[in-house]
């Protein structure tokens, strides 16, 4: 049974039983405390916790999930996957234990011919919480399970909570017995791999507090509604129904594994270590494809860092299999073909997704080459120093800074006859993981903060009036200070204020929050920020500037009209620039991010190379022609399907509900789904002035523009500069570029002549300096300070010229100079001098230490520097003393 068919059977089953089928939420979680959607319940947290009234009493879904906390186990066990799909059915105060158990049993054991999954009841075991007599009895009575296949377990396995105050409840897990050839008898209580957990039914019915650990807390009472939260691992069901050994061999993953095996010349099943690597590649390529399809792009922080990490783990595994060249074009194409039936977007967006993947692979392959060079130097230095092990700190630096995998470091060190101080490396890695876990705990703690909005959200959604009104009369529904609900906030306090209606725009869709005030009887609040902390609720962060504000008081939200209009100009200009870019570059150049604030817009889009000045000018001209044409800006609210049918662009990585707002500028020329505020006609934008274009990552470009009055001011400033230049250079404006080029060429020619004169003057000093050679322990040494010099290269050239005049006797030259106000020492030695023990690198390092800096280099020529030029004589004396003492 194919994976897509299993998902279809699950959804059909629950749809026939009155469940609303909910599309998968994005892998990018709405909750800012989470990097990713890590479990099927994440999109439903506001409903399960009671913060937001659920829009349906029962639901079912197939949710895309990403987990990386067990990434080191991927490939080693049958069930650990980075990307996985969770089948779930949900009840929000509707049905409870009896129906949840009945539905699960009917679907699992129902004949395949009737739409069921066809499991043999004799292969299924169940666990319940040890004190949950109700669930125990229901399994016995509904499923007819013998009591010896219903096992009671403790809180560590059969009681669900977040580990924080809030909802909790007992759970019941369903296991599939793979048979005696897979392990010992005795059921799930043995914790043996023979028994595969396939479905977890959570009976969410209690509220807990005084939480000291995930399993140590106090139950304070029943939740307002008893909820059902279930999760069945689609990949686990698939590998059982397809008769394969693990999730990596299922129909959605195995094709990637097979391509990796072909590219590497390996045979899957022939070698354990190779098999692990092949499974890592299959998992990580699929996970990367799905993250890219939800708008995540490789970077050095946050979600982008996780994506980069798993992509690089795949590249590393290919390298360990012997493939040193690029392999992502073949691997990602295989994953696309395996996943497109379930997620059509991976095919329709593949050109863009694969561009990111290929660029990331090319970048990392270059990184591996650079890391290998650094590691080779470390190996040589370690051997020269008589060491037998590379330091753990150096291995960690290669891993953390350059992305160089530790196993490659171990492999290269072993080939060179060295070991790696693995204990020190592991200690540094542990420190890093501890910091990461602390950060994760801090983010996790933010989930609980949503509960403070529960009572306010229960009063209904905040009505946003700002599309039509800049001032709205309302009332204060709630006030929060330091994350706690309070009755009032007084002058000088920072607080969150929630109104029943507001004209103030909450930050979203790239548009920053409105500025403005909230006023009422005896108080005035300066609005610092406006956000949507939970679906349907708008919260204003304010500073109480006058009086005090209390819950229940009347209040009016007043938008800063000038700031709003400037922000609208910028947001509408972003739509024009987007359309202009697509007109110029083609439909594959699509938005990946934006920022709109008063007078400024920033637009990121998928493109692999820098824009030429001509292309930038064309984009700017198209956008300003649209401004000139005074195009009408219209907005319509409709269903998502209607908007897509009308050709509206659903921007990559954005999340949309079933009802959307479509914004047209000039009809279909610019037609996007957008919740932001806009001008009514394009001429109100005034002017679009592109001021910058840059790279923001592999295959991602950014254009920046000033808009409206800010654009005019910038052009006026440039006009003033041009006017000053024409006056100073006495050159007409249309000839300025030519005149400045002439002056620049003349200046370069003059600088070249000056450099030649200085070099000649420096060379003329060589004979006199060579005459100053004096014996230093059998070495003919010139150790002189030559004063100021144009560059370190000039001093180096002079030192080599002096060295060449010392003849065949052992000789060394140490010249001190001041270059750009900093001291420099150049040391050069001839071959007889080096044979006698005069090593330029060691001497330069010695001098640099006296100067308060660092240095070194080759044995024949080296350089040192520092910060204290007054110590140059002492540095040269130190070199002389070192040579004299070496021969005593």
């Amino acid at each position: 049974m194919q994976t897509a068919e299993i998902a279809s059977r699950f959804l059909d089953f629950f749809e026939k039983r009155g469940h609303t089928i909910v599309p998968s939420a994005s892998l990018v979680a709405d909750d800012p405390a989470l990097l990713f959607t890590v479990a099927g319940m994440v999109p439903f947290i506001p409903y399960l916790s009671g913060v937001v009234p659920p829009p349906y009493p029962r639901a079912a879904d197939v949710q895309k999930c990403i987990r990386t906390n067990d990434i080191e186990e991927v490939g080693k066990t049958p069930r650990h996957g980075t990307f996985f799909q969770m089948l779930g059915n949900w009840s929000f105060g509707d049905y409870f234990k009896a129906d949840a158990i009945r539905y699960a049993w009917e679907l699992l054991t129902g004949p395949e011919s009737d739409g069921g999954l066809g499991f043999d009841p004799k292969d299924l075991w169940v666990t319940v919480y040890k004190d949950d007599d109700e669930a125990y009895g229901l399994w016995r009575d509904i499923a007819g399970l013998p009591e010896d296949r219903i096992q009671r377990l403790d809180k560590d396995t059969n009681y669900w909570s977040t580990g924080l105050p809030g909802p909790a409840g007992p759970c019941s897990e369903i296991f599939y017995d793979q048979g005696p050839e897979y392990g010992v008898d005795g059921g799930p209580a043995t914790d043996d791999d023979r028994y595969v957990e396939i479905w977890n039914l959570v009976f969410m019915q209690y509220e807990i507090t005084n939480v000291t650990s995930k399993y140590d807390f106090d139950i304070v009472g029943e939740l307002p509604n008893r909820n059902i939260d279930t999760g069945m691992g689609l990949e686990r069901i698939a590998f059982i129904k397809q008769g394969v050994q693990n999730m990596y061999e299922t129909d959605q993953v195995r094709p990637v594994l097979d391509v990796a095996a072909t590219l590497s010349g390996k045979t899957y099943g022939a070698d354990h270590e190779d098999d692990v690597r092949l499974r890592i590649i299959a998992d990580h390529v699929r996970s990367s494809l799905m993250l890219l399809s939800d708008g995540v792009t490789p970077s050095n922080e946050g979600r982008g860092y996780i994506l980069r990490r798993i992509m690089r783990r795949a590249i590393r595994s290919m390298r360990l299999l012997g493939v040193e060249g690029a392999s992502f074009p073949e691997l990602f194409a295989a994953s696309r073909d395996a996943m497109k039936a379930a997620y059509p977007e991976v095919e329709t967006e593949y050109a863009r997704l694969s561009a990111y993947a290929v660029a990331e692979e090319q970048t990392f392959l270059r990184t591996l080459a650079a890391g290998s060079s650094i590691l080779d130097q470390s190996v040589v230095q370690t051997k020269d120093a008589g060491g037998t092990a590379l330091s753990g700190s150096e291995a960690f630096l290669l891993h953390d800074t350059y992305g160089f995998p530790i196993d490659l470091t171990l492999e290269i060190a072993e080939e060179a006859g060295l070991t790696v101080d693995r204990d020190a490396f592991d200690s540094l890695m542990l420190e890093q993981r501890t910091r990461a876990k602390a950060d994760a705990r801090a983010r996790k703690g933010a989930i609980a903060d949503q509960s403070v909005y529960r009572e306010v959200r229960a009063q209904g959604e905040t009505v946003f009036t700002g599309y039509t009104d800049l001032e709205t009369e309302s009332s204060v529904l709630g006030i929060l200070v330091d994350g706690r609900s309070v009755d009032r906030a007084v002058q000088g306090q920072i607080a969150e204020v929630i109104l029943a209606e507001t004209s103030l725009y909450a930050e979203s869709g790239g548009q920053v929050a409105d500025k403005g005030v909230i006023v009422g009887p005896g108080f005035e609040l300066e609005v610092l920020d406006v956000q949507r902390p939970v679906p349907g609720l708008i919260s204003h962060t304010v500073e109480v500037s006058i009086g005090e504000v209390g819950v229940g008081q009347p209040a009016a939200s007043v938008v800063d009209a000038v700031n709003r209009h400037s922000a609208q100009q910028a947001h509408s200009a972003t739509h024009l620039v987007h359309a202009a870019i697509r007109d110029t570059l083609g439909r594959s150049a699509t938005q990946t991010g934006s920022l709109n604030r008063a007078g400024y817009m920033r637009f990121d889009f998928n493109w692999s190379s820098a824009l030429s000045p001509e292309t930038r000018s064309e984009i700017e001209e198209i956008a300003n022609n649209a401004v000139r044409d005074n195009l009408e800006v219209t907005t319509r609210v409709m269903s998502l399907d209607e908007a897509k049918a009308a050709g509206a662009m659903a921007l990559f990585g954005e999340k949309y509900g079933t009802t959307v707002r479509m914004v047209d500028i000039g009809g279909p020329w610019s037609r996007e789904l957008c919740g932001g505020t806009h001008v009514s006609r394009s001429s109100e934008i005034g002017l679009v002035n592109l001021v910058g274009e840059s790279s923001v990552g592999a295959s991602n470009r950014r254009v920046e523009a000033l808009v409206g009055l800010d654009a005019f001011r910038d052009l006026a400033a440039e006009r003033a500069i041009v006017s000053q230049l024409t006056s100073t250079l006495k050159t007409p404006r249309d000839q300025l570029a030519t005149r400045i080029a002439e002056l620049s060429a003349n200046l370069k020619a003059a600088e070249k002549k000056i450099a030649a004169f200085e070099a000649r003057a420096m060379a003329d000093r060589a004979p006199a300096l060579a005459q100053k050679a004096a014996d230093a322990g059998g070495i003919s040494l010139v150790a002189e300070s030559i004063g100021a010099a144009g560059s370190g290269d000039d001093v180096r050239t002079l030192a080599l010229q002096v060295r060449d005049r010392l003849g065949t006797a052992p000789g060394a030259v140490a010249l001190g100079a001041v270059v750009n106000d900093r001291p420099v020492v150049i040391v050069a030695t001839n071959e007889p001098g080096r044979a006698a023990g005069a090593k330029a690198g060691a001497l330069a390092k010695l001098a640099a230490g006296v100067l308060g800096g660092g240095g070194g280099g080759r044995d024949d020529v080296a350089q040192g520097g520092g910060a204290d030029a007054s110590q140059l004589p002492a540095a040269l004396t130190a070199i002389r003393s070192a040579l004299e003492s070496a021969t005593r």
Side-chain angles (χ1 to χ4, degrees):
M1 190 180 294
Q2 298 292 91
T3 303
E5 182 185 348
I6 297 168
S8 177
R9 285 171 178 257
F10 179 89
L11 296 177
D12 288 346
F13 177 90
F14 282 102
E15 187 173 29
K16 290 174 182 175
R17 287 155 181 80
H19 292 65
T20 299
I21 303 305
V22 180
S24 173
S26 170
L27 287 170
V28 178
D30 280 328
D31 191 328
L34 296 172
L35 285 178
F36 298 115
T37 300
V38 296
M41 70 165 297
V42 169
F44 297 102
I45 286 175
Y47 311 144
L48 294 168
S49 63
V51 173
V52 178
Y56 25 68
R58 53 176 71 182
D61 71 335
V62 181
Q63 177 59 50
K64 300 178 291 186
C65 301
I66 285 282
R67 286 184 192 165
T68 58
N69 55 327
D70 291 329
I71 195 169
E72 300 297 337
E73 298 303 312
V74 170
K76 299 176 182 177
T77 75
R79 301 185 290 276
H80 277 96
T82 312
F83 170 83
F84 61 96
Q85 299 157 92
M86 190 62 72
L87 306 169
N89 58 287
W90 313 84
S91 168
F92 308 107
D94 189 8
Y95 61 84
F96 200 51
K97 287 183 186 178
D99 284 334
I101 290 172
R102 180 179 297 108
Y103 291 152
W105 191 253
E106 288 177 358
L107 176 60
L108 285 173
T109 62
E112 292 185 10
S113 58
D114 292 340
L117 295 177
F119 280 91
D120 190 328
K122 70 178 178 58
D123 293 329
L124 300 178
W125 290 67
V126 167
T127 64
V128 299
Y129 177 54
K130 64 178 183 179
D131 296 333
D132 193 352
D133 295 333
E134 180 185 7
Y136 186 92
L138 288 169
W139 279 113
R140 182 190 57 213
D141 298 339
I142 291 174
L145 277 172
E147 293 188 356
D148 63 352
R149 280 201 279 131
I150 309 172
Q151 296 185 322
R152 296 178 184 263
L153 299 179
D154 212 335
K155 282 182 180 178
D156 59 341
T157 57
N158 280 77
Y159 207 98
W160 178 89
S161 80
T162 64
L164 298 164
C171 63
S172 180
E173 296 178 332
I174 307 169
F175 290 79
Y176 173 76
D177 180 3
Q178 299 185 89
E181 64 271 26
Y182 287 89
V184 300
D185 197 5
T190 63
D191 197 27
D192 192 87
D193 284 344
R194 167 177 169 174
Y195 303 93
V196 180
E197 180 198 337
I198 56 175
W199 206 343
N200 186 16
L201 315 180
V202 176
F203 311 126
M204 200 179 296
Q205 63 188 110
Y206 299 116
E207 185 147 8
I208 61 173
T209 188
N210 297 330
V211 181
T212 57
S213 74
K214 195 169 182 180
Y215 316 114
D216 187 7
F217 47 77
D218 294 332
I219 297 174
V220 294
E222 294 265 347
L223 289 170
N225 291 313
R226 299 192 302 175
N227 301 319
I228 290 294
D229 158 12
T230 86
M232 178 162 65
L234 178 54
E235 281 76 11
R236 295 189 182 188
I237 297 295
F239 88 69
I240 294 170
K241 295 301 295 180
Q242 292 174 21
V244 295
Q245 298 298 308
N246 52 62
M247 63 165 287
Y248 313 103
E249 298 175 17
T250 60
D251 61 297
Q252 287 187 344
V253 188
R254 179 64 186 255
V256 183
L257 188 154
D258 289 339
V259 170
T262 299
L263 291 173
S264 62
K266 303 293 183 180
T267 300
Y268 183 63
D271 179 85
H272 173 71
E273 290 298 323
D274 286 346
D275 288 353
V276 170
R277 291 162 184 159
L278 289 167
R279 291 194 287 262
I280 288 171
I281 294 161
D283 171 88
H284 285 6
V285 166
R286 182 174 78 140
S287 302
S288 299
L289 178 71
M290 299 309 297
L291 283 170
L292 287 165
S293 73
D294 270 359
V296 182
T297 55
S299 70
N300 287 328
E301 58 185 11
R303 299 180 180 96
Y305 174 75
I306 299 297
L307 172 59
R308 171 161 285 168
R309 182 185 178 200
I310 62 175
M311 292 175 83
R312 291 185 169 191
R313 277 174 56 87
I315 297 166
R316 175 196 71 182
S317 295
M318 287 298 292
R319 179 167 176 137
L320 292 174
L321 289 172
V323 179
E324 297 195 0
S327 58
F328 273 9
E330 294 87 352
L331 295 173
F332 272 79
S335 189
R336 171 202 61 198
D337 294 342
M339 298 300 294
K340 65 185 181 183
Y343 303 99
E345 62 270 20
V346 302
E347 181 174 36
T348 57
E349 300 288 342
Y350 185 70
R352 176 156 43 86
L353 309 185
S354 62
Y356 281 112
V358 169
E360 181 64 22
E361 182 177 37
Q362 291 171 344
T363 298
F364 188 48
L365 289 175
R366 289 193 295 269
T367 296
L368 286 175
S372 296
S373 176
I374 294 169
L375 183 54
D376 289 344
Q377 292 179 21
S378 297
V379 167
V380 171
Q381 291 172 0
T382 301
K383 285 188 168 183
D384 286 348
T388 59
L390 292 172
S391 71
S393 60
E394 187 138 23
F396 180 77
L397 176 70
L398 282 165
H399 168 83
D400 193 51
T401 303
Y402 297 98
F404 201 76
I406 182 61
D407 35 11
L408 281 182
T409 300
L410 292 168
E411 181 181 301
I412 292 171
E414 184 179 356
E415 290 172 356
L418 300 174
T419 61
V420 176
D421 187 346
R422 192 60 190 265
D423 289 342
F425 174 83
D426 290 342
S427 176
L428 290 166
M429 285 296 296
L430 180 61
E431 290 178 18
Q432 186 187 63
R433 290 188 182 120
T434 301
R435 289 193 298 271
K437 287 180 179 179
D439 180 56
R441 283 194 297 270
R443 288 198 304 270
K444 185 178 181 182
I447 299 174
D449 294 342
Q450 289 192 353
S451 64
V452 302
Y453 300 106
R454 183 184 299 163
E455 291 183 9
V456 181
R457 183 62 181 79
Q459 300 177 56
E461 295 191 14
T462 306
V463 177
F464 176 61
T465 64
Y467 289 132
T468 56
D469 301 319
L470 295 181
E471 184 172 340
T472 297
E473 298 288 338
S474 186
S475 60
V476 179
L477 296 183
I479 301 173
L480 279 68
V481 175
D482 295 330
R484 294 182 297 106
S485 180
V486 297
D487 292 331
R488 62 190 56 253
V490 300
Q491 186 169 335
Q493 279 190 310
I494 304 294
E496 281 187 70
V497 172
I498 299 164
L499 307 178
E501 300 88 17
T502 182
S503 55
L504 290 153
Y505 182 80
E507 179 181 1
S508 62
Q511 183 174 333
V512 301
D514 273 336
K515 293 181 179 180
V517 295
I518 298 173
V519 296
F523 68 83
E524 181 173 316
L525 316 175
E526 180 187 356
V527 176
L528 307 177
D529 194 15
V530 190
Q531 295 290 333
R532 297 178 181 270
V534 297
L537 204 65
I538 296 176
S539 173
H540 312 80
T541 300
V542 302
E543 181 176 359
V544 184
S545 50
I546 298 175
E548 65 177 49
V549 58
V551 174
Q553 286 186 282
S557 56
V558 182
V559 177
D560 181 327
V562 174
N563 182 78
R564 163 71 80 82
H565 182 65
S566 294
Q568 289 180 170
Q569 288 177 304
H571 202 157
S572 297
T574 302
H575 285 222
L576 297 188
V577 170
H578 189 186
I581 285 174
R582 287 168 65 80
D583 275 1
T584 306
L585 302 179
R587 294 182 60 83
S588 62
T590 51
Q591 178 174 343
T592 58
S594 68
L595 174 67
N596 315 290
R597 63 170 184 259
Y600 170 85
M601 59 142 286
R602 186 181 77 201
F603 183 81
D604 298 345
F605 59 101
N606 181 64
W607 198 250
S608 59
S609 59
L611 303 184
S612 67
E614 294 76 17
T615 301
R616 286 177 54 181
S617 294
E618 184 179 357
I619 292 167
E620 187 177 57
E621 184 172 352
I622 292 171
N624 281 298
N625 284 343
V627 173
R628 176 203 62 196
D629 292 343
N630 196 27
L631 303 175
E632 184 179 11
V633 181
T634 60
T635 60
R636 288 176 283 169
V637 176
M638 60 184 69
S639 73
L640 179 59
D641 290 339
E642 288 174 326
K644 287 183 176 179
M649 287 194 63
L651 299 184
F652 194 62
E654 289 290 318
K655 308 173 186 69
Y656 301 100
T658 55
T659 301
V660 295
R661 184 169 178 264
M662 186 172 76
V663 177
D664 286 1
I665 304 180
W669 179 68
S670 172
R671 176 169 287 170
E672 299 186 16
L673 303 184
C674 180
T677 63
H678 290 273
V679 297
S680 57
R681 301 194 73 88
S682 62
S683 60
E684 294 178 39
I685 294 170
L687 181 66
V688 180
N689 176 16
L690 287 186
V691 294
E693 190 268 344
S694 59
S695 169
V696 285
S699 300
N700 215 19
R701 307 297 299 181
R702 168 175 294 170
V703 292
E704 298 174 89
L706 297 175
V707 180
L709 190 57
D710 289 80
F712 171 78
R713 287 171 179 154
D714 184 68
L715 291 174
E718 288 190 3
R719 182 177 62 188
I721 293 170
V722 170
S723 177
Q724 184 178 3
L725 287 172
T726 58
S727 175
T728 302
L729 300 178
K730 296 180 172 48
T731 304
R733 185 176 65 176
D734 60 353
Q735 297 177 25
L736 268 180
T738 302
R739 178 62 177 147
I740 291 172
E742 290 174 354
L743 291 173
S744 178
N746 291 339
L747 179 60
K748 287 180 180 178
E751 288 174 343
K752 190 174 182 180
K753 287 181 180 178
I754 292 170
F757 284 133
E758 289 178 343
R760 184 175 301 170
M762 190 75 75
D764 289 344
R765 300 178 66 179
L769 287 170
Q771 292 297 319
K772 295 184 178 183
D775 182 72
I779 304 292
S780 183
L781 172 66
V782 176
E784 294 290 327
S785 180
I786 64 171
S791 69
D793 286 342
D794 291 342
V795 184
R796 177 186 293 262
T797 299
L798 179 58
L800 293 174
Q801 291 172 341
V802 174
R803 182 190 66 179
D804 292 343
R805 291 177 173 271
L806 295 181
T808 58
V813 178
L815 298 184
V818 178
V819 177
N820 297 326
D821 298 324
R822 297 181 69 86
V824 170
V825 172
I826 302 292
V827 181
T829 60
N830 61 18
E831 188 173 346
R834 291 191 292 277
K839 308 292 187 182
L843 295 172
K845 187 173 183 180
L846 172 66
V850 177
L851 296 172
R858 303 195 311 266
D859 287 346
D860 61 332
V861 62
Q863 179 173 329
D868 189 354
S870 69
Q871 294 299 310
L872 271 174
L876 297 172
T877 298
I879 291 175
R880 179 177 295 279
S881 298
L883 291 176
E884 290 175 342
S885 62
T887 57
R888 286 174 185 165

